[in-house]
Amino acid sequence: MWKPKLMLADCESVRKNAQDQRREMGVWLKCLRETQGLSQRDLANILSLEYYTFISQLENGRGKIPSSRYVEWANALGQEPRSFVKTLLSYYDPITHDILFGTKAQAH
């Protein structure tokens, strides 16, 4: 089946946008960590992570925090869990975030 090249370009654009979102999330997580005065190793220890490099990966826009650990991460970073998860969702899934919390959702 023939697909126009525009479709491929659109997919690349979406992927790049998602990567940009993850990088921004990483900057936000790093800021939260540094505000708490924690090194990556400190945070890994608080969260009982085997490898502190997982923190580095997240801060560089790679990987995701498992949803089962959101509350632990929020607490470790001195954040209210609901607000923390809402912000994470804005980075991980901005379309769903906008539907739930954006101006479009408020109009209904």
Side-chain angles (χ1 to χ4, degrees):
M1 175 181 213
W2 179 81
K3 294 184 181 182
K5 289 186 180 186
L6 180 60
M7 293 293 288
L8 178 59
D10 288 343
C11 290
E12 290 297 318
S13 173
V14 167
R15 189 170 77 208
K16 286 180 183 173
N17 189 23
Q19 289 170 345
D20 291 343
Q21 289 287 109
R22 291 277 175 90
R23 279 191 282 274
E24 288 177 24
M25 187 243 2
V27 170
W28 173 69
L29 285 175
K30 182 177 181 177
C31 180
L32 292 177
R33 177 181 57 77
E34 289 178 343
T35 298
Q36 293 297 309
L38 300 171
S39 69
Q40 291 178 348
R41 193 177 301 273
D42 293 336
L43 182 56
N45 287 336
I46 290 168
L47 294 168
S48 301
L49 298 174
E50 190 171 347
Y51 302 104
Y52 75 92
T53 54
F54 180 65
I55 308 288
S56 176
Q57 289 172 344
L58 289 172
E59 291 180 358
N60 285 295
R62 295 185 310 273
K64 287 179 74 171
I65 298 170
S67 59
S68 63
R69 306 226 35 215
Y70 285 167
V71 173
E72 293 172 72
W73 276 78
N75 291 333
L77 294 169
Q79 301 297 299
E80 188 276 321
R82 175 176 242 140
S83 175
F84 179 77
V85 172
K86 185 177 178 181
T87 302
L88 272 182
L89 185 62
S90 74
Y91 291 115
Y92 288 160
D93 192 347
I95 293 169
T96 300
H97 180 273
D98 189 52
I99 290 168
L100 292 173
F101 307 109
T103 55
K104 295 174 191 169
Q106 294 171 1
H108 296 297

